[in-house]
Amino acid sequence: MKIKVSTADSWFSKCIRSRENWVCQYSKKSFPRNSQGLHCSHFHGRRNYGLRFEPLNCFAHSYASHAYLGENPSIFNAWALEQLGEGAMDILQEKFNDIN
């Protein structure tokens, strides 16, 4: 079942993509402002409402990068660790554990 995208989801997504200057953090490809080709990618999925709007949990990824990392969680995990660092990943995991 697909998760409905709320107005808050749309604005939060724009904030994440704007934070990264409309550049995919994985492929480094640039996108025009408001492009549908650049997504707000969640490390812990959007179904986890407690982390849905957590900036540490979100990255700007192209459609291709989002799909690739989603299909390869071990690669996504290693990449996110490199991006955020061990301390931030520990904080994110603690938040995930507290919510679940």
Side-chain angles (χ1 to χ4, degrees), residues 73-87:
S74 62
I75 294 171
F76 195 178
N77 189 62
W79 179 85
L81 178 60
E82 183 180 309
Q83 297 303 301
L84 297 176
E86 196 170 324

Side-chain angles (χ1 to χ4, degrees), residues 5-15 46 49 52-53:
V5 176
S6 69
T7 302
D9 288 314
S10 294
W11 281 108
F12 182 74
S13 174
K14 284 183 182 181
C15 288
R46 285 190 317 124
Y49 201 79
R52 190 173 188 159
F53 300 109

Side-chain angles (χ1 to χ4, degrees), residues 9 12-13 15-17 19-20 25 39-46 48 51-61 66 76 79-80 83-84 89 92:
D9 288 314
F12 182 74
S13 174
C15 288
I16 296 300
R17 294 176 292 152
R19 175 186 76 184
E20 302 305 330
Q25 292 176 265
H39 296 184
C40 175
S41 172
H42 292 73
F43 185 76
H44 295 287
R46 285 190 317 124
N48 188 319
L51 292 175
R52 190 173 188 159
F53 300 109
E54 168 56 61
L56 274 179
N57 188 45
C58 297
F59 302 96
H61 287 146
H66 194 180
F76 195 178
W79 179 85
Q83 297 303 301
L84 297 176
M89 285 296 282
L92 188 56

